[in-house]
Amino acid sequence: MKKSKYFFSGALVAVAMAATLAACSKDDHKQDYNPIIDDPKEEKPTEKPTTENGYNELFRPQIHFTPASNWINDPNGMVYANGVYHLFYQYNPQGNDWGNMSWGHATSTDLIHWTELAVALTRDELGAIFSGSCVVDKDNTAGFGANAMVALYTSAGETGDLQGKQQQSIAYSTDGGKNFTRYAGNPVIKNNDDNLRDPKVFWHAESNQWIMALAKGWKMGVEFYSSPDLKSWTHQSTFFVELPGRPSLQWECPDLIQMGKKWVLLVSVNPGGPILGSGTMYFVGNFDGKTFTADALDYPLWLDYGMDNYAGVTWSNMGSRHVMIGWMNNWQYAGNVPCSPWRSAMTLPRELKLIEYDEKPILATTVVGEIDQIADNWQGISSSSPFLTLNANRDAYQMRITLHLDKNSTVTLSNDADEKFAFDVSASARTLTAHRTSVTGKTSFNGTFSIPSMQAPLNTKGTTVTLDLFVDQSSVEIFTENGSMSMTNLVFPKSIYNSLTVTGATYEAKFRRLKSIWN
């Protein structure tokens, strides 16, 4: 393979190596939190959480999903059914740190406004409920009823003979996801260690069967299984590609997606993302119902070049439209981000499309068009009028900047406390380099959070580049207009950035306020 195309500053390499060594010192990054495990027998789902502060606490996202309280990580079980988007997610119903893993549940009719519901699945005698997927069994292949919603998840053993076992289980709902019944024959795929998890399942019409992708954790790779009925599974193949400079990674949260004549396999890895810690890579290739074969490309290919887009997977049952959402955090500092009474958020939902650049495929990501529902009219921004009219604690916004590429530019967002988030655009190298240092806001909660340099290829041609920035109370998501590059980063300023400065090339800029989804 050719040398991988990702970039590090000299100072960052030392930080990354030290952090990676620390992260690899245990068998599983999730164990770093050492949660207190109570009685492992099945718990009853909790009631819908409520927040007393109206979702306006310091750093509370206004356009991204967060639970009212407590810890979340991986999105899972996402399925579209009867006009409703279901978002399940890894959730701790008992606290603001990782532990007691359950499936939280929220629903939406537009991918933007979310209603948090009672916890859907909590741990039972087989263990905690790790990540997985949901499908609509319209033809009743499993025998639970036509159009039953079937959840497939990893049972992560916690005590006794089950300690360290990660096995695959199922549960089903016949009332639209409000209540689930566990299958009496669980686990449907047995396993004796902690390196087989996060089942993503879809119906493969060409072979007339269900297909499951399972990540191999520290053993790396993806296993593929098939089933006629979601209950009996047959191993079909194993996929693995050597990644230069990354000899030891956790492979997690796979998703296999058909896009026209090609197939795309998403895999989240940790540590060893594009910069440091967590990241999501993808492979482009072919799938014949048994085996995924990757095209001969320069891997790894990265879905996002920032620090904070992990474990993303797509909604099932949406036909040819492919919409994903990710966990907006990074295992390097996930347990330390200064958010309370909640911890962590999801990215904005993004539409995936396979495009071509320099005769090579790129998985493009853009924010879903439904974002227009909460957008005000566009307002112009110029050097003589750089300030954005915002409610500092209750607003978010989209900014669109077109930069001319005849010279290098620096784009800086700032606030009244002189906190700044800046990025450079190189006209000759066609790269974007972002800087998340102590000037962006709060960074001292973890030594790896401050990142002096994060570089991404623009993957665009022409004399200009248009960038879309989605800025919330604690995040900045940057996209090229066609999605050929995306970069997602958490930030923790005292108030939202409300001023723009551009130096270097000429530019045009505008913004539109995005109304809070919690109003």
Side-chain angles (χ1 to χ4, degrees):
M1 290 186 180
K2 297 179 181 178
K3 188 175 181 181
S4 299
K5 297 179 182 177
Y6 50 87
F7 307 87
F8 295 85
S9 69
L12 186 56
V13 170
V15 174
M17 290 178 64
T20 298
L21 288 171
C24 290
S25 64
K26 296 190 177 184
D27 290 336
D28 193 315
H29 56 76
K30 300 181 178 81
Q31 294 177 3
D32 292 345
Y33 299 101
N34 192 27
I36 296 174
I37 301 299
D38 301 318
D39 187 347
K41 66 186 179 182
E42 183 173 352
E43 302 168 348
K44 293 183 179 180
T46 57
E47 296 299 319
K48 173 184 173 181
T50 58
T51 179
E52 296 179 357
N53 295 321
Y55 292 90
N56 61 358
E57 305 94 339
L58 181 64
F59 308 136
R60 172 74 81 169
Q62 294 301 303
I63 58 172
H64 295 79
F65 174 75
T66 53
S69 60
N70 297 356
W71 167 281
I72 62 169
N73 54 286
D74 305 358
N76 41 234
M78 290 124 65
V79 62
Y80 179 68
N82 299 317
V84 176
Y85 298 94
H86 293 264
L87 170 62
F88 298 94
Y89 46 88
Q90 293 286 275
Y91 183 66
N92 182 358
Q94 300 179 29
N96 208 18
D97 290 302
W98 188 91
N100 309 301
M101 282 293 97
S102 308
W103 275 23
H105 188 195
T107 57
S108 174
T109 57
D110 62 5
L111 288 168
I112 302 298
H113 298 88
W114 294 96
T115 299
E116 186 175 358
L117 305 177
V119 176
L121 289 168
T122 54
R123 69 186 195 271
D124 60 13
E125 67 278 358
L126 291 177
I129 312 299
F130 276 11
S131 296
S133 54
C134 275
V135 297
V136 174
D137 186 12
K138 65 183 181 66
D139 295 325
N140 194 25
T141 64
F144 301 138
N147 295 310
M149 184 184 295
V150 182
L152 304 101
Y153 58 91
T154 298
S155 293
E158 301 170 298
T159 59
D161 293 339
L162 293 175
Q163 181 73 45
K165 290 186 178 182
Q166 293 185 352
Q167 306 182 96
Q168 314 317 312
S169 297
I170 65 176
Y172 63 94
S173 172
T174 57
D175 62 2
K178 296 177 182 177
N179 297 281
F180 281 89
T181 301
R182 302 184 200 239
Y183 175 51
N186 285 337
V188 295
I189 298 179
K190 296 182 179 180
N191 188 44
N192 290 319
D193 64 27
D194 62 352
N195 288 290
L196 197 66
R197 58 178 175 268
D198 309 337
K200 183 62 190 291
V201 174
F202 66 94
W203 178 258
H204 187 247
E206 289 79 1
S207 60
N208 197 39
Q209 61 186 343
W210 296 101
I211 299 295
M212 176 190 291
L214 275 173
K216 295 185 66 175
W218 284 112
K219 292 184 177 179
M220 299 185 292
V222 176
E223 302 280 11
F224 290 102
Y225 287 75
S226 65
S227 172
D229 59 5
L230 296 170
K231 296 182 288 189
S232 57
W233 293 91
T234 301
H235 181 261
Q236 295 292 348
S237 64
T238 301
F239 171 78
F240 176 71
V241 169
E242 293 281 357
L243 301 172
R246 290 169 166 81
S248 181
L249 300 171
Q250 281 193 104
W251 287 40
E252 300 187 301
C253 303
D255 193 356
L256 184 61
I257 310 162
Q258 185 174 12
M259 294 187 155
K261 296 181 179 180
K262 304 301 291 186
W263 291 77
V264 177
L265 176 64
L266 296 174
V267 182
S268 291
V269 291
N270 180 78
I275 307 297
L276 173 68
S278 310
T280 301
M281 59 185 181
Y282 66 93
F283 304 88
V284 180
N286 299 289
F287 181 70
D288 62 4
K290 294 184 178 181
T291 303
F292 174 78
T293 305
D295 293 347
L297 297 173
D298 186 13
Y299 297 113
L301 301 172
W302 296 107
L303 182 74
D304 190 290
Y305 288 87
M307 288 291 292
D308 299 299
N309 184 1
Y310 190 66
V313 289
T314 57
W315 266 271
S316 66
N317 204 38
M318 287 189 65
S320 61
R321 189 184 186 198
H322 307 292
V323 177
M324 70 161 288
I325 199 168
W327 177 46
M328 198 160 59
N329 212 328
N330 190 304
W331 281 114
Q332 291 295 136
Y333 43 74
N336 306 121
V337 292
C339 304
S340 180
W342 84 101
R343 181 166 282 145
S344 286
M346 297 302 174
T347 66
L348 287 173
R350 303 173 181 191
E351 190 146 359
L352 304 183
K353 293 182 180 179
L354 201 59
I355 64 173
E356 192 173 276
Y357 176 74
D358 273 351
E359 299 182 346
K360 295 180 181 179
I362 290 177
L363 188 59
T365 64
T366 54
V367 172
V368 294
E370 286 88 342
I371 196 72
D372 292 345
Q373 299 175 46
I374 59 171
D376 283 349
N377 294 328
W378 289 101
Q379 300 179 47
I381 313 172
S382 66
S383 57
S384 60
S385 180
F387 294 99
L388 286 59
T389 305
L390 298 169
N391 180 331
N393 295 321
R394 292 291 289 173
D395 277 349
Y397 61 89
Q398 178 186 358
M399 180 181 291
R400 180 165 291 171
I401 306 174
T402 298
L403 293 164
H404 293 256
L405 293 175
D406 55 339
K407 61 180 67 176
N408 297 339
S409 302
T410 297
V411 177
T412 303
L413 303 175
S414 60
N415 63 12
D416 297 339
D418 202 30
E419 296 168 318
K420 303 172 182 178
F421 178 86
F423 59 87
D424 306 315
V425 174
S426 170
S428 57
R430 299 289 173 123
T431 58
L432 183 150
T433 305
H435 314 286
R436 185 176 70 187
T437 63
S438 59
V439 300
T440 61
K442 192 175 184 65
T443 62
S444 60
F445 54 85
N446 186 289
T448 64
F449 187 78
S450 181
I451 303 292
S453 179
M454 291 174 274
Q455 195 171 85
L458 291 173
N459 295 326
T460 59
K461 296 181 179 180
T463 59
T464 63
V465 61
T466 297
L467 302 171
D468 280 313
L469 283 63
F470 291 85
V471 183
D472 204 345
Q473 297 291 326
S474 52
S475 63
V476 178
E477 294 163 281
I478 307 173
F479 303 83
T480 51
E481 189 174 24
N482 71 341
S484 61
M485 183 280 300
S486 66
M487 179 180 281
T488 304
N489 288 298
L490 292 175
V491 287
F492 295 100
K494 295 176 182 176
S495 61
I496 196 168
Y497 305 125
N498 63 349
S499 181
L500 170 70
T501 303
V502 179
T503 60
T506 57
Y507 71 97
E508 296 84 42
K510 59 184 179 179
F511 86 101
R512 58 180 185 175
R513 175 177 168 266
L514 300 175
K515 304 180 187 71
S516 173
I517 64 174
W518 308 120
N519 288 338

